Amino acid sequence: MTSCRPAARAVSPRLLLRVGRNVALPVRRVSLLAALALFVLLVVAAVATLSLGRLGIPLADLAGAVTGGAEGKNAFVLERLRGPRLTVAVGTGAALGLSGALFQSVTRNPLGSPDVIGLASGAGAGTAIAALLFPGSVPAGLGALLGAVLAMALVHVSTGTGFRDPARLVIAGIGVAAIGTAITHYVVHAMERDRAAVLAAYVNGSLSARSWDDATTIWLVLLVVAPFTALVSRRLDIGEMGDDIAGALGSEPRGTKTAGVVLAIVLSAGAVVVAGPIAFISLTAPQIAKRLTRVSGPHLMLSALTGAVLLALADLCAQQLPLFDSLPVGIYTMAIGGLYLGRLLVREWRRGVL
């Protein structure tokens, strides 16, 4: 697995980002430039999302609408149709990118993500069971959350070591993911055609008909998790040197791994509740972030920003591409992930690694 890692070069921080008088955060110049470029790309994607198409807000009116001057059709588009959807897309993408960075840092596996350990499949199975047994009475988000929690509990018990052993975690997660996928396929097959179509759209990941309540949910998850992520980020950075060195430096590698996995699960669960199991963002975003900087480290915030950009662009495609009307955004993220993995495999094959 290590052959798939980007070549990293150790670069000392060159800048200190000061917060007040007593807090100074080391920031690499290349990371700051990459973050700036990603932020600009995110703004472009947001403007395109709000302005393109038959119902789009004209560019001349967009600034005024965003600052509170929206009326009529523009108000409907901004407040009901595309504004909540865009906000959910950015928050969900950030949560998935950050979740993937945490998980890959803990497992030291560039092909690892929370999807691998069965969280998304468990959420899909929970949604499917709720739709089959309690139609109309149990919300899809609640079913997804319960399914994700049950899947993670099963993984936790079946490893015999909780979340501390990355190898056992991945093996147990693959088994739980297979079970969850089988349950979901069975329910989709057993349900009536119309209901099955709605369920299939959700379990593939969808941002259609999102509300401000969904946006509030995912951004609250990010705000709650962010301080804990900041607390473990330095330990995760040290942990990439290996458990022995991390232990000698007082990083407590076992506790750090458990904390990292738990935070990754919380972030992924929040994303699943509001958007369904969206694939490949948590896998590709951290690797793209690493390749943008070519330096060591988990790149947590940069991965979150990359995830936000990827999901915003994928949702823009889902809304505007004329050939594939109303496809769930998860289909587009699968395409992004497939293209990325294909490029990675071809690159490694040409280097003679595979």
Side-chain angles (χ1 to χ4, degrees):
M1 291 297 184
T2 56
S3 61
C4 294
R5 284 183 178 273
R9 48 188 172 84
V11 178
S12 299
R14 296 176 179 269
L15 303 173
L16 287 178
L17 179 63
R18 295 192 175 276
V19 182
R21 294 183 177 181
N22 300 320
V23 179
L25 303 175
V27 179
R28 295 185 176 104
R29 191 183 303 274
V30 66
S31 298
L32 192 61
L33 291 175
L36 180 61
L38 287 169
F39 179 76
V40 171
L41 185 56
L42 182 60
V43 171
V44 171
V47 170
T49 296
L50 295 175
S51 62
L52 292 180
R54 183 171 56 88
L55 294 176
I57 302 173
L59 283 176
D61 302 332
L62 185 58
V66 171
T67 55
E71 297 179 353
K73 184 204 79 170
N74 290 352
F76 174 76
V77 171
L78 184 63
E79 297 169 10
R80 299 286 298 275
L81 188 62
R82 296 188 184 178
R85 180 169 180 162
L86 174 62
T87 308
V88 172
V90 173
T92 301
L96 290 173
L98 181 55
S99 176
L102 287 166
F103 191 80
Q104 290 180 16
S105 179
V106 166
T107 61
R108 302 193 197 113
N109 185 344
L111 298 180
S113 77
D115 302 338
V116 173
I117 62 172
L119 187 144
S121 298
T127 304
I129 292 173
L132 180 66
L133 300 181
F134 310 101
S137 59
V138 176
L142 179 58
L145 179 60
L146 294 176
V149 170
L150 181 59
M152 291 303 94
L154 186 57
V155 170
H156 187 277
V157 171
S158 60
T159 60
T161 57
F163 297 136
R164 294 191 299 272
D165 189 323
R168 292 188 181 186
L169 181 65
V170 171
I171 293 171
I174 291 173
V176 171
I179 295 171
T181 301
I183 292 173
T184 302
H185 286 317
Y186 168 76
V187 173
V188 170
H189 177 75
M191 291 180 69
E192 299 173 1
R193 182 175 180 180
D194 292 341
R195 291 173 59 204
V198 174
L199 175 62
Y202 182 84
V203 298
N204 281 315
S206 176
L207 291 171
S208 62
R210 299 302 97 179
S211 68
W212 288 114
D213 289 340
D214 297 315
T216 301
T217 298
I218 189 60
W219 282 98
L220 277 177
V221 170
L222 283 169
L223 288 175
V224 169
V225 171
F228 297 100
T229 303
L231 289 175
V232 302
S233 60
R234 180 58 180 167
R235 291 187 175 187
L236 289 173
D237 201 357
I238 296 173
E240 294 204 346
M241 303 178 188
D243 288 352
D244 293 338
I245 296 177
L249 294 175
S251 176
E252 299 180 7
R254 286 194 174 186
T256 301
K257 289 178 181 179
T258 300
V261 171
V262 170
L263 291 173
I265 289 172
V266 171
L267 288 163
S268 291
V272 164
V273 166
V274 300
I278 295 178
F280 279 115
I281 295 295
S282 58
L283 173 66
T284 56
Q287 291 303 304
I288 292 174
K290 284 180 179 290
R291 282 164 172 78
L292 287 175
T293 60
R294 293 288 179 178
V295 295
S296 60
H299 300 291
L300 299 181
M301 293 301 104
L302 199 60
S303 297
L305 190 53
T306 304
V309 170
L310 289 177
L311 191 53
L313 290 175
D315 192 48
L316 179 62
C317 293
Q319 294 182 67
Q320 299 299 332
L321 287 184
L323 298 178
F324 308 102
D325 187 35
S326 300
L327 274 183
V329 69
I331 302 296
Y332 289 92
T333 62
M334 289 180 191
I336 292 172
L339 290 172
Y340 170 76
L341 290 177
R343 178 181 176 277
L344 184 61
L345 289 172
V346 169
R347 178 185 176 188
E348 297 300 315
W349 175 74
R350 287 178 176 175
R351 291 172 56 191
V353 177
L354 299 179

